[in-house]
Amino acid sequence: MKKGIEDKIITLKHSLRILNKLDIIRICANNGVVIEHKNKIKDIKEKLIHIIRQGNETLYTELRDTAFNPNLDVLDGFFIVFDTPRYNMISKEDIKNSIEGFNKNNMENKENEENEEIGFIENVEIVNEYIKFMVMKIKHQYVYDAKSKKSKSYESEIKANVEIDLEKRFIYIQTKNVNIYKGLKTVIREFLMYHFYDNKLKLGKPELYQNLSIDFIDINSIDKLNKVNPVTLKLLDIVYELENMKYAFSGFRVNDILFDHEERNSIDLSSRIDSINIYGENLLEHSQIKEKILQGRTILYINFILEYNTISENGNNIKHYVEAGIDYKGDYARIFIKNNKDLERIILIKAYNELKRIFMENYLNGNLKNELKILNLLGVNKNEECKVSS
C-alpha cells in the first residue's frame, strides 16, 4: 500500500513539473481545492502532495492526465478528409462493430509482439451525423539504466479526441501538436480502411475552392477578378461568416496574413511564403492585401481578433476578445484559439466550438455567402448592365 502511494507522489511531482501554475490552479478549482495565485509554486506543490496522500484520487487523476495527455483539452485541431468510393455503402450503425473488430485485431498483434506500434479506439459516441471517439497509438520502447546496467522496456502513448462525419467525409483531430496529428492520422486511416474494406482509402487536405458567381460586375474588373485564387476566395468567405448574426461572433480584426508567392504553381511552398503583420490595423483593409489578392496570391494562414458574445445572468450582452486563426499551409486545415489568461476557460471553449462550427458548416458549401463583401474588399462595384458568365 505504501509503495502504491509513493508511486503516485512521484508521478504527481513529475506532473507538477510539466504543468504551469495557471493549469494547476484551474484543475484544483475544478476539484474544490482553493489555490491563490499569489502562493509560491513550492507551497502549492507541498499542499497538493499532502492532499493526494489523504486520498484525493479525482484531483490526482486530473493533474496526471492533463500533464501527460495535454492534447485532450486543447483549443486547436486539424481537419482532413477521406476519399473512398465505398463511403456511402456502410451505415453509421456499423461503426461500433468495426471499432470492436479493429481493436481486437490490434490487441492480438500487441500480445504477439508483431508490431511495436499499435493503435486503439475508445470512448465511442455517435451524435447526429458525427462519430466521436478517442484514438491512441501505443509504442513499445526501451531505455538503458546505467545504474543497473540493464535495459528496461516501457510503453509511450499519444492520444487525441476525434470527430468523423461519414457523409461529408471529414475528420477532425483535436491536438496542437503536428507530430501527434501525423502519428494518429495513420491509425485513423488504418481504421477507415478496415471499416470500409478499402486498402486504397486516402486521407487529404480539405478542398477550399470557390469561384465568384456574382452575375453583374463592372466590365473593367473582369480580368483582374479572374486572377483571384479560388482558395483565397473560399477562405475569405469563411472569415466573413464571423460577422453573420447566426453565430455568437459580432466582428473580427485580421492582424496577420501569410501568402504564397506569385509563382503559385511551384510545389515548394516553404520557399515562397511571405508574411504581413501590421500592428493594430485590420489587414483586410490594407492596400497591400488587396493587391496581393488581385495578383492571385493564396492565403495560407490568417490570424484574427474575434468579438465573442455571451449573455450575463441579468440579460446583458458581454463582448469577449479572443485571438484565433486558420492555418492552411500543410496537408490539413487547422483551426485554433490562443490561450488567454484573462478569460475563463469555459468562454474560450465555447468560442472555439463556435469557430469550429463555422468552418464545418461552410467549407463544403457550394456557394459563396459573402461575395458582395469580398467584392467591396477588392474595390469592385456591381454593374447591373454587364453580366459576367461563370
Side-chain angles (χ1 to χ4, degrees), residues 262-277:
E262 287 86 352
E263 298 175 3
R264 62 181 182 275
N265 292 325
S266 169
I267 295 175
D268 184 14
L269 284 178
S270 62
S271 66
R272 58 191 178 86
I273 290 174
D274 64 5
S275 178
I276 297 178
N277 189 338

Side-chain angles (χ1 to χ4, degrees), residues 10 16 37 74 83-85 89 96 109 118 124 128 132 136 171 183 230 237 251 256 289 344 375 390:
I10 291 172
L16 296 177
H37 196 275
V74 295
D83 184 30
T84 173
M89 298 180 185
K96 289 189 176 181
N109 290 338
I118 301 292
V124 182
N128 298 324
K132 300 181 179 183
M136 70 173 67
I171 302 165
D237 190 57
D256 194 17
I289 300 301
E344 293 182 36
L375 291 175
S390 57

Side-chain angles (χ1 to χ4, degrees), residues 2-49:
K2 184 178 179 181
K3 185 180 185 302
I5 190 64
E6 291 308 315
D7 286 343
K8 283 186 177 181
I9 297 304
I10 291 172
T11 304
L12 175 66
K13 289 179 179 179
H14 190 181
S15 302
L16 296 177
R17 283 190 177 185
I18 295 171
L19 298 170
N20 62 47
K21 191 174 183 180
L22 288 176
D23 284 333
I24 294 170
I25 292 172
R26 175 178 59 83
I27 293 168
C28 287
N30 291 344
N31 290 273
V33 177
V34 178
I35 301 288
E36 295 186 13
H37 196 275
K38 65 181 181 181
N39 292 354
K40 295 181 179 179
I41 193 68
K42 178 177 179 292
D43 296 332
I44 294 173
K45 290 180 178 180
E46 289 178 357
K47 180 176 180 177
L48 291 177
I49 289 172

Side-chain angles (χ1 to χ4, degrees), residues 24 64 78 105 113 126 130 146 159 177 221 243 245 267 287 295 343 353 360 363 373 379 381 390:
I24 294 170
R64 181 197 63 195
F78 297 78
N105 287 349
E113 296 186 356
I126 298 177
Y130 300 114
K159 60 176 67 174
N177 187 310
S221 302
E243 296 178 335
M245 298 303 291
I267 295 175
S287 59
Q295 289 168 2
L343 290 178
N353 288 335
M360 291 159 66
Y363 93 89
K373 290 182 178 180
N381 297 318
S390 57

Side-chain angles (χ1 to χ4, degrees), residues 213-353:
S213 60
I214 199 78
D215 288 334
F216 299 98
I217 304 175
D218 180 80
I219 191 68
N220 297 318
S221 302
I222 296 175
D223 287 342
K224 65 179 180 181
L225 285 175
N226 283 338
K227 296 178 183 177
V228 178
N229 186 279
V231 172
T232 293
L233 281 175
K234 188 61 179 179
L235 194 56
L236 287 173
D237 190 57
I238 292 173
V239 170
Y240 274 120
E241 279 296 283
L242 294 168
E243 296 178 335
N244 190 332
M245 298 303 291
K246 169 183 176 182
Y247 304 106
F249 300 108
S250 56
F252 66 92
R253 176 176 63 84
V254 174
N255 62 353
D256 194 17
I257 296 180
L258 191 68
F259 283 93
D260 74 338
H261 192 266
E262 287 86 352
E263 298 175 3
R264 62 181 182 275
N265 292 325
S266 169
I267 295 175
D268 184 14
L269 284 178
S270 62
S271 66
R272 58 191 178 86
I273 290 174
D274 64 5
S275 178
I276 297 178
N277 189 338
I278 302 173
Y279 182 77
E281 182 176 354
N282 185 352
L283 292 187
L284 289 188
E285 298 173 359
H286 197 275
S287 59
Q288 280 186 267
I289 300 301
K290 171 185 169 181
E291 291 171 7
K292 290 178 182 292
I293 293 173
L294 289 173
Q295 289 168 2
R297 304 284 292 275
T298 306
I299 295 177
L300 298 177
Y301 170 93
I302 187 165
N303 199 91
F304 35 76
I305 306 298
L306 294 172
E307 293 179 3
Y308 177 69
N309 302 294
T310 59
I311 305 298
S312 66
E313 292 182 358
N314 57 11
N316 294 327
N317 183 63
I318 304 175
K319 286 186 182 295
H320 309 275
Y321 294 92
V322 297
E323 188 170 2
I326 301 174
D327 182 348
Y328 200 63
K329 298 192 299 292
D331 61 349
Y332 49 77
R334 183 177 183 179
I335 309 294
F336 63 87
I337 278 183
K338 294 185 178 181
N339 284 325
N340 185 334
K341 65 180 181 180
D342 296 324
L343 290 178
E344 293 182 36
R345 185 161 181 83
I346 188 63
I347 299 295
L348 294 173
I349 290 172
K350 288 181 178 179
Y352 181 66
N353 288 335

